[in-house]
Amino acid sequence: SSSSSASSGDGGASSRAPDTSLFVPVPLKPGLGGAAEEDVGAELTRPLDKGEVLKNLNKFYKRKEIQRLGAENGLDARLFHQAFISFRKYIMESSSVSADLHIILNDICCGFVLLGHVDDLFPFFLRHAKQIFPMLDCMDDLRKISDLRLPPNWYPDARAIQRKIIFHAGPTNSGKTYHAIQRFLSAKSGIYCGPLKLLAHEIFQKSNDANVPCDLVTGEERVFANEDARQAPHVACTIEMCSTNTPYEVAVIDEIQMIRDPARGWAWTRALLGLCAEEIHVCGEPAAIDLVTELMYTTGEEVEVRNYKRLTPLTVLDYALESLDNLRPGDCIVCFSKNDIYSVSRQIEARGLECAVIYGSLPPGTKLEQAKKFNDPDDPCKILVATDAIGMGLNLCIRRIIFNSIVKPTVNEKGEKEIDSITTSQALQIAGRAGRFGSSFKQGEVTTMHRDDLVQLKEILSDAVPPVKAAGLHPTPEQIEMFAYHLPDATLSNLIDIFVSLSQVDGMYFVCNIDDFKFLADMIQHIPLNLRSRYVFCTAPLNRKEPFVCTTLLKFARQFSRNEPLTFNWLCRHTKWPLAPPKNIKELVHLEAVHDVFDLYLWLSYRFMDMFPDAVLVRDIQKKLDDIIQIGVCNITKLIRASQSAAAPGTAEAVAEDFPLSGTQKDARVASDHHGAASTEALSIAMEAAGLRRAKNSRPSRLGSRQEDVKSYGRGSLANRLLREGLLTQEMLRQLESEWQDQHRNGRYGFGSKRDDQHGSKETRKKRK
């Protein structure tokens, strides 16, 4: 994440050098002095000889004494150079300069040693440097604003009361959250903070069913338990929406280990330090106990730890599934990409079995319906195919978890896609869904699809979960506003960069990744908005990999800036509502994006009610869209067939859904259609095999001979199918991989694009996804 280096909690705030590469100079137009100025300078002396001026300016630049003076005034080598180039350009291109500067320059150029020396230019140079780099004049103020070393002090209301902290620690399915919720329900007032809308909705439902009036608050929705819209004493919310100035008797913070999340961790930190409740019940992995105890030590609050054991046994089987023919009712196959979901669900259907499908980008309503279908003992659907989205938020009756793969595409700190083995924490969270207490299965089982993976899965599950080391922080709107006051010409993206660069945190904290914020800030930079509104638009929860959602936000911001309300009719025109059920995967993915657009509208409607006035109407059509998406998901295998028959035989149209292909890749796919399906697919496996070796954190058991490497990666459903059907042998796979690597070395991909050559590793990783 974009965390600043930790610094000691008691050192001086000015000890850390800023990252001056982030300082963008403010352009100054030459010759702002006007004719009157020019007359004074020239009348008192004479017009300047620009050739002599240039010579002396360059002499000034090379003086070691001047460079030292610059450094003392905050100008490191980079800033000194940029400021000098700007200063020189300003003087050389100005028809006039101020009278005092004109006189000094004239004295220096005329060689009046007693009257002028190049060093005398320094005050003028420094004045110019501070005009183009306004942060030089207010660095101490900026450091104070971005000093994040005492987060507990940001919440005076919470510090004014003595809070009791109870940590419910245990694995998935241990009853830890159940016990915290029982205390929540028995309290006079309470707040539940969870990571997902689905979890907040579940507690809202549970609470009202138990005759404890409870409101629901998420980014996109407010539901009041009382018909007159009076606030109920209990509230269930997504963690970003919790109030830190409303007093409660009991607060529950769920999944506390997410305090380490590179993007969202700040919300758990804020809740833990800032909630005004007499009792705070935190639930989560034991790995977070030490950090929570340390954080509470800084607030003077003690932590009581209650440990829980899993309520039902969980067994890691000694054999892999190996074939979908071995599926049993209650099985859940976990995949880490939509493409694998599509492929596996189609193969299951080909065996005459019905399956439910759950993945992250489905609307919550569709996820719940698919879970209900799978859980219903009277429904013929007895198999679930899902991503790690089932790790939290859904109650599922699963007998056995089967990992289709144990590598997962991830995005690293630089925003590059990589393939990593899943972590122990992720594996335990997913595996723990099997054999849920109270379900029809009294014990859970876990295994892998492929024999090669089982040894590694056992290793991963037997490892200790590393302790959570630090809690996330995020700049507040007030801090950014104060920054903007000092740096009025900086863009919001640049402001936040400078903030993170100057920010100081102690060892228990880190600054959360602000890439999504900066992406939106850059996208709407050209639209005239006041800072508060701009900040709100940049915190909108959207997936930047969805072009339709991003362009919609851009249109929202543009219309908002013109003070034109975003009406229901406008939104219907933009999304082409009403929409028909999807006929292929591409249409299903588009409907999911439209659902996200409706979410975005509702999210903005709670922040700018006048400008997004039709939330009620939009919520109605969103429910209808949810039903349409459910129809699509129920017929997902038909959609996959339609997509594949529309493309060339054997090519998967679904490739584009998770990571959009570049134009070059799409052209390559079209070009390769002429070479037959088998060779196209085999080549893509070979490309992937080469790419996987670059996966980080590979365990020793994975690093065998080349043959083992290829085998372990060529075990996905596509490779297996080709091997089973005799279209591909291990020897052919090794040969293809070898040819691919030769072409890669020689810059000949067979697809004829230099761009592909330059971005080979990135594209390989994209293909995997």
Side-chain angles (χ1 to χ4, degrees):
S1 69
S2 310
S3 64
S4 57
S5 23
S7 56
S8 66
D10 51 12
S14 59
S15 57
R16 186 157 169 245
D19 178 359
T20 55
S21 66
L22 300 170
F23 294 3
V24 179
V26 177
L28 282 187
K29 287 181 183 166
L32 298 175
E37 277 289 357
E38 183 181 7
D39 291 341
V40 174
E43 274 176 30
L44 290 174
T45 55
R46 60 180 185 175
L48 293 171
D49 177 345
K50 288 291 174 89
E52 279 298 313
V53 167
L54 182 60
K55 229 185 290 179
N56 282 287
L57 285 173
N58 289 340
K59 203 186 290 179
F60 167 83
Y61 175 67
K62 288 173 185 161
R63 295 258 305 152
K64 289 276 179 263
E65 181 64 17
I66 294 298
Q67 291 170 12
R68 188 184 60 73
L69 276 172
E72 282 173 14
N73 284 275
L75 292 167
D76 65 5
R78 178 192 278 110
L79 292 187
F80 181 82
H81 177 73
Q82 281 183 285
F84 173 73
I85 298 295
S86 173
F87 182 57
R88 185 176 66 186
K89 184 172 187 250
Y90 178 80
I91 290 174
M92 297 306 292
E93 292 182 6
S94 291
S95 54
S96 66
V97 292
S98 62
D100 48 354
L101 177 56
H102 187 110
I103 292 165
I104 292 281
L105 283 167
N106 182 66
D107 290 349
I108 294 167
C109 291
C110 293
F112 298 147
V113 179
L114 295 175
L115 294 175
H117 186 277
V118 285
D119 290 2
D120 297 340
L121 287 173
F122 186 76
F124 300 97
F125 166 70
L126 187 61
R127 185 173 69 192
H128 183 92
K130 287 180 175 179
Q131 280 179 289
I132 66 164
F133 293 119
M135 59 286 291
L136 293 173
D137 244 352
C138 55
M139 196 57 78
D140 287 345
D141 289 333
L142 295 180
R143 283 184 195 283
K144 278 179 196 141
I145 298 164
S146 59
D147 188 345
L148 307 178
R149 287 176 301 174
L150 291 169
N153 295 355
W154 305 348
Y155 308 102
D157 292 351
R159 297 295 74 79
I161 58 172
Q162 190 61 33
R163 307 178 310 164
K164 184 178 174 187
I165 317 293
I166 295 128
F167 194 128
H168 301 263
T172 307
N173 200 9
S174 59
K176 57 186 186 295
T177 310
Y178 169 81
H179 285 92
I181 294 302
Q182 291 309 109
R183 180 67 191 96
F184 166 82
L185 294 173
S186 68
K188 292 192 290 294
S189 63
I191 181 169
Y192 167 85
C193 310
L196 300 172
K197 283 184 271 192
L198 279 171
L199 284 168
H201 205 275
E202 185 189 332
I203 302 304
F204 161 74
Q205 206 81 50
K206 204 173 268 183
S207 192
N208 286 302
D209 289 349
N211 293 319
V212 176
C214 179
D215 295 339
L216 174 70
V217 177
T218 71
E220 300 78 19
E221 197 172 13
R222 309 281 187 283
V223 181
F224 293 101
N226 299 314
E227 286 177 11
D228 58 0
R230 262 184 313 110
Q231 215 171 311
H234 288 69
V235 62
C237 63
T238 42
I239 193 151
E240 284 86 354
M241 301 304 296
C242 71
S243 162
T244 55
N245 42 34
T246 310
Y248 298 100
E249 185 186 342
V250 167
V252 176
I253 304 172
D254 209 355
E255 305 293 354
I256 187 66
Q257 70 279 358
M258 288 188 72
I259 201 165
R260 69 176 161 215
D261 187 89
R264 293 179 69 200
W266 62 270
W268 276 262
T269 308
R270 177 176 167 269
L272 182 64
L273 297 176
L275 282 171
C276 290
E278 295 161 38
E279 285 177 32
I280 310 258
H281 293 255
V282 297
C283 309
E285 293 176 5
I289 292 173
D290 288 351
L291 178 68
V292 170
T293 307
E294 278 184 63
L295 291 175
M296 295 300 95
Y297 179 76
T298 67
T299 65
E301 291 159 334
E302 283 185 29
V303 178
E304 178 194 329
V305 178
R306 296 179 189 170
N307 287 298
Y308 298 80
K309 288 198 168 70
R310 191 178 156 87
L311 296 170
T312 56
L314 179 68
T315 311
V316 183
L317 299 176
D318 289 325
Y319 53 88
L321 190 73
E322 302 208 69
S323 165
L324 295 174
D325 295 330
N326 299 327
L327 285 170
R328 303 197 307 256
D331 278 351
C332 169
I333 302 174
V334 176
C335 307
F336 292 111
S337 80
K338 271 203 219 170
N339 282 347
D340 287 350
I341 291 259
Y342 300 147
S343 167
V344 170
S345 56
R346 183 166 178 193
Q347 289 175 62
I348 290 170
E349 196 223 34
R351 286 162 168 77
L353 300 170
E354 216 179 302
C355 66
V357 172
I358 294 173
Y359 51 86
S361 58
L362 284 177
T366 304
K367 285 181 191 157
L368 287 169
E369 277 305 310
Q370 290 289 301
K372 194 170 148 192
K373 182 179 161 78
F374 172 68
N375 289 342
D376 184 353
D378 301 323
D379 197 293
C381 169
K382 294 286 176 266
I383 310 290
L384 175 62
V385 183
T387 62
D388 50 346
I390 61 157
M392 55 177 76
L394 290 164
N395 292 320
L396 296 158
C397 298
I398 296 169
R399 179 205 300 269
R400 178 169 62 169
I401 288 280
I402 300 148
F403 285 90
N404 187 55
S405 157
I406 48 170
V407 291
K408 178 180 178 179
T410 56
V411 176
N412 71 11
E413 291 165 15
K414 295 175 185 167
E416 297 165 340
K417 295 171 191 75
E418 294 182 339
I419 297 169
D420 266 346
S421 293
I422 55 173
T423 64
T424 300
S425 179
Q426 288 166 335
L428 287 168
Q429 185 93 29
I430 297 163
R433 307 307 283 175
R436 185 174 155 267
F437 182 75
S439 76
S440 48
F441 302 117
K442 299 297 172 234
Q443 66 173 48
E445 297 172 341
V446 58
T447 186
T448 55
M449 178 65 81
H450 308 283
R451 203 184 312 166
D452 296 349
D453 286 340
L454 192 54
V455 177
Q456 197 186 352
L457 178 67
K458 285 183 175 180
E459 276 178 35
I460 292 170
L461 288 170
S462 63
D463 283 351
V465 177
V468 179
K469 295 281 192 200
L473 295 173
H474 193 282
T476 65
E478 292 75 24
Q479 287 167 330
I480 298 303
E481 254 179 356
M482 286 193 278
F483 248 57
Y485 170 77
H486 288 295
L487 307 175
D489 295 300
T491 66
L492 181 53
S493 177
N494 187 227
L495 275 179
I496 211 126
D497 269 339
I498 295 172
F499 185 98
V500 172
S501 133
L502 290 176
S503 66
Q504 299 204 71
V505 293
D506 73 24
M508 286 188 286
Y509 299 96
F510 67 93
V511 180
C512 280
N513 187 317
I514 35 98
D515 288 351
D516 286 349
F517 183 99
K518 281 177 55 194
F519 170 81
L520 295 179
D522 288 334
M523 189 173 81
I524 63 169
Q525 183 52 44
H526 63 288
I527 296 171
L529 294 166
N530 66 49
L531 187 76
R532 263 295 157 129
S533 302
R534 190 179 296 282
Y535 185 93
V536 170
F537 272 95
C538 293
T539 53
L542 60 76
N543 180 353
R544 56 177 165 154
K545 287 189 289 191
E546 291 179 352
F548 183 67
V549 185
C550 292
T551 54
T552 303
L553 181 80
L554 197 56
K555 288 182 178 180
F556 282 172
R558 196 172 287 130
Q559 189 138 335
F560 180 95
S561 74
R562 294 196 293 259
N563 217 23
E564 296 170 11
L566 280 298
T567 62
F568 175 71
N569 289 336
W570 183 94
L571 191 63
C572 289
R573 279 198 308 276
H574 174 66
T575 56
K576 299 186 170 55
W577 181 265
L579 294 158
K583 294 192 268 312
N584 54 42
I585 290 293
K586 193 176 174 185
E587 288 183 14
L588 175 63
V589 170
H590 178 67
L591 292 183
E592 290 165 12
V594 174
H595 193 280
D596 286 349
V597 163
F598 292 165
D599 258 352
L600 181 60
Y601 184 98
L602 294 169
W603 189 88
L604 288 163
S605 76
Y606 282 107
R607 286 140 186 92
F608 306 113
M609 288 182 187
D610 296 348
M611 297 301 287
F612 295 84
D614 295 331
V616 176
L617 296 170
V618 172
R619 183 159 283 112
D620 285 346
I621 60 169
Q622 191 182 41
K623 287 195 179 98
K624 288 174 188 164
L625 177 58
D626 206 330
D627 294 339
I628 294 168
I629 291 171
Q630 281 175 44
I631 294 167
V633 174
C634 288
N635 297 314
I636 196 157
T637 50
K638 289 177 193 158
L639 304 189
I640 297 164
R641 276 203 301 276
S643 298
Q644 290 184 335
S645 58
T651 59
E653 184 59 33
V655 166
E657 308 311 347
D658 273 290
F659 291 139
L661 294 174
S662 66
T664 316
Q665 281 179 300
K666 286 177 186 160
D667 297 342
R669 201 169 63 197
V670 172
S672 69
D673 288 349
H674 302 299
H675 300 293
S679 62
T680 304
E681 294 181 335
L683 180 59
S684 95
I685 298 166
M687 288 161 67
E688 292 171 343
L692 184 72
R693 301 231 174 77
R694 289 187 284 276
K696 291 196 312 183
N697 305 333
S698 292
R699 291 166 185 260
S701 62
R702 304 280 290 169
L703 298 171
S705 64
R706 167 175 287 200
Q707 179 179 346
E708 277 308 304
D709 258 350
V710 176
K711 239 165 74 182
S712 66
Y713 195 64
R715 60 172 189 264
S717 55
L718 177 59
N720 266 354
R721 197 171 79 235
L722 291 172
L723 289 164
R724 262 202 318 271
E725 293 170 9
L727 293 169
L728 186 66
T729 64
Q730 289 287 354
E731 191 53 50
M732 284 167 67
L733 191 56
R734 282 197 300 277
Q735 181 63 34
L736 280 165
E737 187 206 12
S738 166
E739 285 175 19
W740 170 253
Q741 286 176 335
D742 287 345
Q743 287 178 339
H744 188 285
R745 277 194 294 271
N746 299 334
R748 289 181 291 104
Y749 272 62
F751 299 151
S753 164
K754 277 189 183 176
R755 188 166 174 272
D756 274 354
D757 191 17
Q758 289 158 1
H759 300 291
S761 61
K762 282 186 195 171
E763 303 294 60
T764 303
R765 287 196 286 262
K766 282 187 190 175
K767 285 235 178 199
R768 167 66 188 150
K769 182 93 174 182

